Amino acid sequence: MPGVTSDCLFCRIVAGEIPATVVYETEAILAFRDIAPKAPVHSLVITKAHHADLPALARADPELASELLTGAAEVAKAEGVADSGYRLVFNIGPDSGQEVAHVHAHVLGGGRLGGMG
Ligand code: 5GP
Ligand code: ZN
């Protein structure tokens, strides 16, 4: 469901209740640095509206899903990795290890990333 839920960590960041280092923001999108970076550049890009994961967002609001992806590309530019390359990761569901049930893209880069295997 869209909207803001008070028990969701990323909704609380959107509401300004939990501090974050913001690297990019539009009316609908917010990006901030991951608190436990797994690469030299590691930011999270979220929709300000609450959606549980990417499939839920894409079904409910395809235009906003597209904005999330272009937002991720803008974050890569802002973080200086657009030309050197980066990885976008969406964790979805238990086997992925998704910890926060509010859609977010991980933008990872700033050095050679490990293989996917
Ligand atoms: P997931 O595992 O759900 O795909 O990713 C959640 C991410 O959120 C993790 O990489 C974790 O380090 C990050 N994270 C968890 N709590 C916070 C927080 O309070 N602030 C920020 N900036 N990142 C957080
Ligand atoms: Zn939320």
Side-chain angles (χ1 to χ4, degrees):
M1 272 285 289
V4 170
T5 56
S6 59
D7 56 353
C8 169
L9 178 67
F10 288 172
C11 282
R12 296 187 67 197
I13 287 178
V14 171
E17 293 170 13
I18 294 173
T21 304
V22 172
V23 294
Y24 177 77
E25 183 169 14
T26 68
E27 211 172 297
I29 302 295
L30 185 70
F32 49 88
R33 298 230 167 94
D34 196 290
I35 205 168
K38 278 68 171 190
V41 167
H42 187 176
S43 287
L44 302 172
V45 193
I46 71 171
T47 57
K48 289 183 179 175
H50 180 91
H51 296 271
D53 57 22
L54 183 64
L57 168 63
R59 277 192 289 268
D61 194 339
E63 204 171 305
L64 184 56
S66 171
E67 269 187 73
L68 181 61
L69 295 177
T70 51
E74 292 303 320
V75 169
K77 255 193 233 171
E79 293 288 62
V81 298
D83 293 334
S84 52
Y86 58 96
R87 182 174 292 158
L88 285 189
V89 173
F90 286 90
N91 288 322
I92 298 160
D95 275 359
S96 73
Q98 182 180 5
E99 288 169 11
V100 182
H102 179 134
V103 63
H104 52 282
H106 295 257
V107 178
L108 298 152
R112 194 79 187 163
L113 300 167
M116 296 292 289

